[in-house]
Amino acid sequence: MRALLEGLRPAGRPARLLFVHAHPDDETLTTGVALAHHARAGDDVHVLTCTLGEEGEVIPPALAHLEGDRPALAAHRRRELAAAMAVLGVTSHVLGEDHPGDGFRDSGMAGSQAARHPRAWAGVPLGVAAEAVGAVVADLRPDAVVTYDPHGGYGHPDHVRTHEAARSALVVVAPGTPLLATLTPRSWAEEDRTWLAEHVPAGEGWVVPGEESAYAGDVVPDEVVTRGVVDPAVVPLQESALHAHATQVLVGRGWYALSNRHVFRLAGREGYARLDPATGRPAPEDET
């Protein structure tokens, strides 16, 4: 497995990376290790968030009043995002932030009424979404762009649209810029399942993926995952950033849980693969 930027890093200067995500907290949950690792290495790391997650479920009872109050929840989650990005040492961008009327909304889970909103991220024309992402790409001119796999990790419509918009943006405004997607080798997922079963408190309703539930769609055969970031030393930073996302995440000792009580390990490692922006399929690594 290659390092994330092996063969892609520019000579003579720090790399500039752009991570494109759908909602606040996605960046820390799925790419927090890479964000912290590359920021600590001196690279110029940016996160683009496409919506403010207005449809998110709120976990803490003290913040329950925010659920259903979409403007209030969006504002609160924006503050959470800013706090998490400060912990990780990266620069945050939100679509439409400079021109709020041009922003996009959380579409909710598949089939939800929120998807009918005219500015719902998953429902706007792909050309509109790609143009918005492309404007950020054109401004930053990153050396590589990182986002979800074609299935959005676990199929959330906003994650799928984020993948599509990032791909389309690169084709139009930055052809040749490497596109990388988050993926998990099956062997890692199985190791994590074993670890979680041994370390997460029993009898409290926690759900270990692969037991009551199947693995997420981004768990793939090991050979598909050709790049990775392995840095257990940044896990404390990732945990601290997750604590900032208090509306959405519960943090345990070496693990975290979402509102559905599904638990995931904070293992200090993340898998990636290079994709062809034109097709979304894996790009042969011998081309790098």
Side-chain angles (χ1 to χ4, degrees), residues 231-274:
D231 188 357
V234 304
V235 169
L237 286 173
Q238 187 182 24
E239 288 183 347
S240 182
L242 287 175
H243 277 294
H245 287 296
T247 58
Q248 307 297 304
V249 187
L250 291 164
V251 184
R253 291 191 167 201
W255 54 274
Y256 68 86
L258 305 178
S259 61
N260 58 8
R261 300 187 71 81
H262 286 225
V263 294
F264 302 89
R265 185 184 178 192
L266 292 166
R269 59 190 184 187
E270 293 165 353
Y272 296 88
R274 187 173 179 183

Side-chain angles (χ1 to χ4, degrees), residues 77-139:
R77 294 193 70 183
R78 179 64 184 97
R79 292 190 291 272
E80 291 183 334
L81 176 64
M85 297 301 89
V87 168
L88 295 174
V90 307
T91 303
S92 177
H93 309 263
V94 176
L95 285 184
E97 194 156 78
D98 293 335
H99 304 282
D102 295 334
F104 301 93
R105 292 183 81 262
D106 184 351
S107 307
M109 299 300 287
S112 71
Q113 188 172 352
R116 301 175 187 172
H117 191 283
R119 298 298 290 177
W121 180 237
V124 298
L126 177 56
V128 172
E131 182 178 9
V133 174
V136 178
V137 172
D139 181 56

Side-chain angles (χ1 to χ4, degrees), residues 120-173:
W121 180 237
V124 298
L126 177 56
V128 172
E131 182 178 9
V133 174
V136 178
V137 172
D139 181 56
L140 293 177
R141 293 185 293 177
D143 297 300
V145 172
V146 183
T147 190
Y148 314 102
D149 71 292
H151 306 292
Y154 65 99
H156 192 297
D158 284 340
H159 289 212
V160 174
R161 174 44 50 93
T162 300
H163 165 88
E164 294 169 341
R167 275 181 46 205
S168 297
L170 290 187
V171 169
V172 174
V173 305

Side-chain angles (χ1 to χ4, degrees), residues 1-286:
M1 182 184 292
R2 296 183 174 191
L4 184 65
L5 292 184
E6 184 177 339
L8 307 178
R9 180 177 288 282
R13 64 171 175 82
R16 175 171 288 177
L17 294 167
L18 175 61
F19 292 73
V20 187
H21 285 284
H23 316 105
D25 80 4
D26 290 333
E27 79 297 322
T28 307
L29 294 170
T30 59
T31 60
V33 173
L35 292 173
H37 173 84
H38 282 281
R40 287 183 58 169
D43 291 322
D44 184 16
V45 185
H46 297 256
V47 171
L48 173 61
T49 308
C50 297
T51 84
L52 288 175
E54 298 91 337
E55 299 298 321
E57 297 178 348
V58 176
I59 295 175
L63 298 175
H65 62 280
L66 294 172
E67 191 166 329
D69 185 343
R70 293 174 179 85
L73 182 56
H76 189 91
R77 294 193 70 183
R78 179 64 184 97
R79 292 190 291 272
E80 291 183 334
L81 176 64
M85 297 301 89
V87 168
L88 295 174
V90 307
T91 303
S92 177
H93 309 263
V94 176
L95 285 184
E97 194 156 78
D98 293 335
H99 304 282
D102 295 334
F104 301 93
R105 292 183 81 262
D106 184 351
S107 307
M109 299 300 287
S112 71
Q113 188 172 352
R116 301 175 187 172
H117 191 283
R119 298 298 290 177
W121 180 237
V124 298
L126 177 56
V128 172
E131 182 178 9
V133 174
V136 178
V137 172
D139 181 56
L140 293 177
R141 293 185 293 177
D143 297 300
V145 172
V146 183
T147 190
Y148 314 102
D149 71 292
H151 306 292
Y154 65 99
H156 192 297
D158 284 340
H159 289 212
V160 174
R161 174 44 50 93
T162 300
H163 165 88
E164 294 169 341
R167 275 181 46 205
S168 297
L170 290 187
V171 169
V172 174
V173 305
T177 300
L179 176 66
L180 300 150
T182 59
L183 294 167
T184 301
R186 178 165 288 275
S187 65
W188 287 9
E190 292 173 352
E191 290 172 9
D192 290 349
R193 173 185 172 179
T194 299
W195 186 95
L196 289 164
E198 295 172 350
H199 291 82
V200 175
E204 298 182 9
W206 305 113
V207 179
V208 175
E211 291 183 348
E212 291 86 346
S213 63
Y215 288 125
D218 63 348
V219 175
V220 297
D222 285 22
E223 61 269 20
V224 177
V225 183
T226 54
R227 295 176 179 264
V229 179
V230 179
D231 188 357
V234 304
V235 169
L237 286 173
Q238 187 182 24
E239 288 183 347
S240 182
L242 287 175
H243 277 294
H245 287 296
T247 58
Q248 307 297 304
V249 187
L250 291 164
V251 184
R253 291 191 167 201
W255 54 274
Y256 68 86
L258 305 178
S259 61
N260 58 8
R261 300 187 71 81
H262 286 225
V263 294
F264 302 89
R265 185 184 178 192
L266 292 166
R269 59 190 184 187
E270 293 165 353
Y272 296 88
R274 187 173 179 183
L275 302 183
D276 178 355
T279 65
R281 293 193 291 269
E285 286 289 358
D286 58 7

